[in-house]
Amino acid sequence: MPRPDVSDERKREILKAALNIFNSKGFTAARMEDIAREAKLSVGAVYWYYKSKDDVILAIMDKVIADDMAVMKQLLNETGTVRQRLIKYLQEGAQEGIVYLPLTYELYTLAQRNAKVRHHIQKHIAHYHDALAEIIQQGIQRGEIRKVNSQVVATTLSALYEGALELAMLDSKNIDVTKTLTQSVNIIFDGIAT
Amino acid sequence: MPRPDVSDERKREILKAALNIFNSKGFTAARMEDIAREAKLSVGAVYWYYKSKDDVILAIMDKVIADDMAVMKQLLNETGTVRQRLIKYLQEGAQEGIVYLPLTYELYTLAQRNAKVRHHIQKHIAHYHDALAEIIQQGIQRGEIRKVNSQVVATTLSALYEGALELAMLDSKNIDVTKTLTQSVNIIFDGIAT
Amino acid sequence: MPRPDVSDERKREILKAALNIFNSKGFTAARMEDIAREAKLSVGAVYWYYKSKDDVILAIMDKVIADDMAVMKQLLNETGTVRQRLIKYLQEGAQEGIVYLPLTYELYTLAQRNAKVRHHIQKHIAHYHDALAEIIQQGIQRGEIRKVNSQVVATTLSALYEGALELAMLDSKNIDVTKTLTQSVNIIFDGIAT
Amino acid sequence: MPRPDVSDERKREILKAALNIFNSKGFTAARMEDIAREAKLSVGAVYWYYKSKDDVILAIMDKVIADDMAVMKQLLNETGTVRQRLIKYLQEGAQEGIVYLPLTYELYTLAQRNAKVRHHIQKHIAHYHDALAEIIQQGIQRGEIRKVNSQVVATTLSALYEGALELAMLDSKNIDVTKTLTQSVNIIFDGIAT
DNA sequence: CATGAATGAGTTTTCATTCAT
DNA sequence: AATGAATGAAAACTCATTCAT
């Protein structure tokens, strides 16, 4: 009688542990032993499931992005005006995103020297822009927004979002992401409203 | 008869070398020997001027920020409408900034775990926002911009700027900073114009 | 009703697997897992039959030598002149021996630091020399060979055999064992013929 | 005033240390720390001169072979009959060779899985055979040896030499290299004498 | 001031062996 | 008997830092 396959379970546990460790210490300072301890396993066990530290990092990236996508998709099926929905979308995205922002910045930094990481992130950004552009397009069709290039506005909103998170990460005392995003998006909507 | 002090000269050379090495390899991967070689010095000589790798990193941060400030100040004394000046300001800032963006991201990542770095960057951001707010204020006084909270707009512009650079860094093929910034700033100006 | 003992069968399978793995990878590089996979067993199962890697190596040694002995004995019961029989004997021995020569050299190397291995091999060499000496003795009795010290000639032939295999192992392109052995044995027989 | 370059000196010291350690423990069991201690250096210092353990091994191989060549060349300029010279040549070579025979066998074993090592050894063997063939040729010209293929005889002598060393290594109690070689070479000379 | 050889603590990774199931 | 996940003790290698010259 075969025992249930613990492989997936363990991998998830290790990834969760790695997520915490990487987020609080950074990729470089994080020791494989830290991850093992956090996952309540031995170092060897971690290596049983992931063949190197880089492997864990890549898996983390996949997970972070996949989770992000899930949040995104869910937020797209909301009701209300486009302005309201976008503000809610960006705000909630930011609230989720800020928790693992240190890790995100580790990934961005890594992306500059690792093509695989970079391409993964690029694909993610493209998805994200498309989702934003789609909402904008809806706004145009409903007459809430005047005829603008939805891709351009999507990029603007995306840059705003990323920038707001960055500023908040660097100076959380003086910069409130939610407030900043709300105000900024309103300014932009004033500029593109019919 | 005292010989001329070569100390400052050497320090500057080391910093310039470190800037290049850090920018292309990242803080962690960069070795003190790399910096020494780039500066055409011995490892020991580098340690004569800076007492640790961290010391060099902190000095680099000071330099990067100081240089950035200098560019900023210069751009503030331009002529033209506020919209024109701002676009020019952000565009040229971006052009300068993108060269050492990898290094900037190394610093941002570091900032999350190092209070000294973080505070330095926060001060810089404050300066930057003030400069932007000042221009906005001028625009309001000149009647180009309607009465808005200049700090809010400054934060929006700053977030936009940072976000645009980030997107460009991550996906330079598909995202053109200059174009993105121009279009975005125009949308915002449409939103805040009188 | 006792089930048939699969123990010996399994042990033989493991040894056969180990023989191949050790021969192609060497003792050090070979992992227990490699052996297990080759034997279509789990690592734990291998440890059920052999209590350590060294145990497997020692068993391999026994097997290699036993197999070699079997070949030897068989070849001694041939017909023809002593010269012919010897050439055939050495040639066929070489043909068998060269397949597992890498493994043999692993064992020789090991023998220098492991008394048990060394003694085993020494006993084998003694057997081998005795067999050769016996053939030489026959040659003397039959008048094919002049009165020589059969042990000395046996050692010479043995050295020649081992050396020829070694040279062939190191440079199979330029050195043909069979040819080398034939020519060498002929030279020696010219030297000891009546 | 530049200090004298200690680089060559250190490299030689490390190699000497490595030679001893490798010879007594074998490549695998030898730790870099063992070599460092033997050379009275730190591990880091060893890595300052050789960038990996394999590097040290390859350097050792070069040294062993170079030293061997030196012995060879020296022995070729001797006087006496070819038979006498050859016996002296092989005997003295064996006396030198037997000291580092364990190491030699490590190299032979390694050669089977490392092309670089293999090719190096092959070149060495070729040199060695050529030297032997040259002596044989002289013997033919001087009328001491009848017209034989000198390369074949050289290979025979070489195999004999290698085999005698091997047997001696495996069973030094019962096999005396010097005696074995003398007797064997005499048998062969009886076979090829005019 | 400057050199660059030397140090050694710290990290990733491997793998023989064990053991709960 | 058999499995294969888990352990943990090595071991190779790196590199910031020091220091004799």
Side-chain angles (χ1 to χ4, degrees), chain D residues 83-97:
Chain D
R83 183 188 289 229
Q84 286 167 339
R85 279 169 59 203
L86 258 179
I87 287 177
K88 192 176 179 196
Y89 176 36
L90 295 175
Q91 275 181 357
E92 292 194 14
Q95 237 140 21
E96 300 272 336

Side-chain angles (χ1 to χ4, degrees), chain D residues 7-23:
Chain D
S7 206
D8 281 356
E9 174 74 6
R10 282 285 176 287
K11 283 189 129 183
R12 229 173 302 131
E13 285 167 4
I14 292 171
L15 238 43
K16 200 182 147 198
L19 200 69
N20 289 330
I21 297 293
F22 283 150
N23 198 51

Side-chain angles (χ1 to χ4, degrees), chain A residues 113, chain B residues 10-41 46 50 52-61 63-64 100 102-103 106:
Chain A
R113 278 139 205 146
Chain B
R10 283 278 179 287
K11 284 188 124 178
R12 227 173 304 130
E13 285 167 4
I14 292 171
L15 239 42
K16 200 181 148 198
L19 198 70
N20 288 329
I21 297 294
F22 283 149
N23 197 52
S24 59
K25 291 191 151 190
F27 288 150
T28 307
R31 282 168 301 125
M32 289 304 266
E33 208 206 307
D34 295 331
I35 296 172
R37 199 184 314 109
E38 177 88 6
K40 287 172 190 177
L41 284 171
V46 174
Y50 294 95
S52 72
K53 190 178 178 181
D54 277 355
D55 242 47
V56 180
I57 293 177
L58 291 180
I60 282 285
M61 178 188 59
K63 183 180 161 58
V64 166
Y100 288 110
L103 190 96
E106 294 279 339

Side-chain angles (χ1 to χ4, degrees), chain C residues 75-81 84-85 88 142:
Chain C
L75 280 167
L76 283 173
N77 303 320
E78 302 276 339
T79 56
T81 68
Q84 287 169 339
R85 279 170 59 202
K88 192 177 179 195
R142 293 184 192 176

Side-chain angles (χ1 to χ4, degrees), chain C residues 102 106 112-113 162 166, chain D residues 102 106 112-113 162 166 170:
Chain C
E106 294 278 339
Q112 299 168 68
R113 278 139 207 146
E162 293 289 324
E166 181 189 298
Chain D
E106 293 280 338
Q112 298 168 68
R113 278 137 205 147
E162 293 287 325
E166 181 188 300
L170 293 170

Side-chain angles (χ1 to χ4, degrees), chain D residues 1-162:
Chain D
M1 192 168 58
R3 278 161 287 161
D5 191 359
V6 297
S7 206
D8 281 356
E9 174 74 6
R10 282 285 176 287
K11 283 189 129 183
R12 229 173 302 131
E13 285 167 4
I14 292 171
L15 238 43
K16 200 182 147 198
L19 200 69
N20 289 330
I21 297 293
F22 283 150
N23 198 51
S24 59
K25 290 191 152 190
F27 289 151
T28 308
R31 308 281 147 243
M32 288 304 265
E33 210 203 308
D34 296 332
I35 296 173
R37 200 182 315 108
E38 176 89 6
K40 286 172 191 180
L41 284 171
S42 68
V43 185
V46 175
Y47 275 93
W48 180 265
Y49 294 99
Y50 293 95
K51 71 174 194 293
S52 71
K53 190 177 177 180
D54 275 0
D55 240 48
V56 179
I57 293 176
L58 290 179
I60 284 283
M61 177 187 59
D62 283 343
K63 183 183 161 56
V64 167
I65 291 181
D67 288 359
D68 215 33
M69 294 265 191
V71 171
M72 214 166 75
K73 274 188 189 140
Q74 186 197 318
L75 281 167
L76 283 174
N77 303 320
E78 302 275 340
T79 56
T81 69
V82 166
R83 183 188 289 229
Q84 286 167 339
R85 279 169 59 203
L86 258 179
I87 287 177
K88 192 176 179 196
Y89 176 36
L90 295 175
Q91 275 181 357
E92 292 194 14
Q95 237 140 21
E96 300 272 336
I98 210 153
V99 180
Y100 289 112
L101 204 58
L103 192 103
T104 304
Y105 269 71
E106 293 280 338
L107 283 174
Y108 286 175
T109 301
L110 192 61
Q112 298 168 68
R113 278 137 205 147
N114 182 321
K116 197 172 174 185
V117 172
R118 192 166 55 248
H119 293 150
H120 228 81
I121 292 178
Q122 287 170 357
K123 237 191 285 178
H124 178 53
I125 292 178
H127 272 284
Y128 185 59
H129 282 197
D130 288 348
L132 285 170
E134 200 188 312
I135 303 183
I136 303 295
Q137 206 59 46
Q138 283 181 7
I140 296 172
Q141 281 163 2
R142 294 185 191 174
E144 295 176 29
I145 298 171
R146 62 181 163 85
K147 272 197 178 167
V148 291
N149 182 331
S150 61
Q151 279 291 338
V152 166
V153 177
T155 304
T156 300
L157 287 169
S158 173
L160 208 53
Y161 173 83
E162 293 287 325

